[in-house]
Amino acid sequence: SQELEQSPQSLIVQEGKNLTINCTSSKTLYGLYWYKQKYGEGLIFLMMLQKGGEEKSHEKITAKLDEKKQQSSLHITASQPSHAGIYLCGADIGPDSWGKLQFGAGTQVVVTP
Amino acid sequence: DGGITQSPKYLFRKEGQNVTLSCEQNLNHDAMYWYRQDPGQGLRLIYYSQIVNDFQKGDIAEGYSVSREKKESFPLTVTSAQKNPTAFYLCASSIWRGLYNEQFFGPGTRLTVL
């Protein structure tokens, strides 16, 4: 089965600093999804990447999928308290997945003043 | 407003009791999913349904049951056979946007077995 490894498990960043989260797959990714979760709440969709080399941005968050489609990174520029939470990557596991996703363990982000 | 609702938000259960978690969506999505989330772990798929009156087991279906009698509803029953049911349960529904499947999540139900 496909495994997704996220790193780091957690990070503390000072407000205004940049941060990067990585998501690495043991197999080729057909689609890679980034979600954000506040503790005890549901997941909020951030963005989805499908093509090798693809890069998408929304406000101060940028996500990239490498050419080999086995690793994605999520980069936050000039972090703010609103960026705190748990970030999860989810992978479309193949052409027959019927929308099923496998998830990484998540990265907890803490933003300090 | 369209969305997914889950109820209750918190649920306590005694050992040996079955309990049903509600999930309702008014997004007109065909597919619905149930995930379980444990501390420090990602989401694991319990059951999913692509269409009304049809559902399939996910990776950790043992001790759980579902039904899909209506498009809008996908309730999950946690049975007494589930050995470690205390967890955060998330329901999702999805729609195909071209080649990718966008999943929308409910707010979750936290189940605690006493």
Side-chain angles (χ1 to χ4, degrees), chain B residues 1-110:
Chain B
D1 289 334
I4 302 175
T5 57
Q6 290 186 242
S7 61
K9 187 169 179 63
Y10 299 97
L11 189 57
F12 297 89
R13 185 194 98 178
K14 293 182 179 179
E15 279 192 32
Q17 288 181 337
N18 293 354
V19 64
T20 297
L21 282 60
S22 169
C23 177
E24 303 278 333
Q25 55 100 358
N26 60 4
L27 300 167
N28 200 33
H29 290 172
D30 286 317
M32 297 186 73
Y33 311 80
W34 273 106
Y35 293 91
R36 169 182 172 142
Q37 186 178 32
D38 294 283
Q41 297 188 34
L43 281 64
R44 291 183 289 168
L45 183 64
I46 304 172
Y47 267 97
Y48 64 102
S49 169
Q50 298 295 326
I51 198 168
V52 175
N53 292 321
D54 188 47
F55 49 83
Q56 287 79 40
K57 293 181 179 180
D59 299 321
I60 55 166
E62 185 176 351
Y64 299 98
S65 66
V66 294
S67 63
R68 187 83 188 278
E69 297 176 0
K70 297 187 299 181
K71 189 175 186 178
E72 302 79 20
S73 179
F74 191 40
L76 173 74
T77 297
V78 184
T79 74
S80 56
Q82 168 51 232
K83 296 180 181 178
N84 186 20
T86 295
F88 189 55
Y89 291 87
L90 287 159
C91 176
S93 68
S94 71
I95 185 169
W96 284 98
R97 297 196 187 283
L99 296 177
Y100 79 91
N101 191 274
E102 184 175 355
Q103 288 196 16
F104 296 82
F105 285 79
T109 293
R110 185 167 299 280

Side-chain angles (χ1 to χ4, degrees), chain A residues 61-108:
Chain A
I61 301 176
T62 299
K64 301 179 184 179
L65 183 62
D66 75 344
E67 289 289 342
K68 293 184 179 180
K69 297 174 63 175
Q70 286 194 261
Q71 185 172 41
S72 177
S73 62
L74 186 82
H75 183 79
I76 298 177
T77 304
S79 59
Q80 301 170 351
S82 61
H83 290 128
I86 301 168
Y87 291 82
L88 295 107
C89 61
D92 187 334
I93 61 175
D96 299 325
S97 67
W98 294 103
K100 292 184 292 180
L101 298 180
Q102 288 195 348
F103 286 86
T107 295
Q108 181 158 15

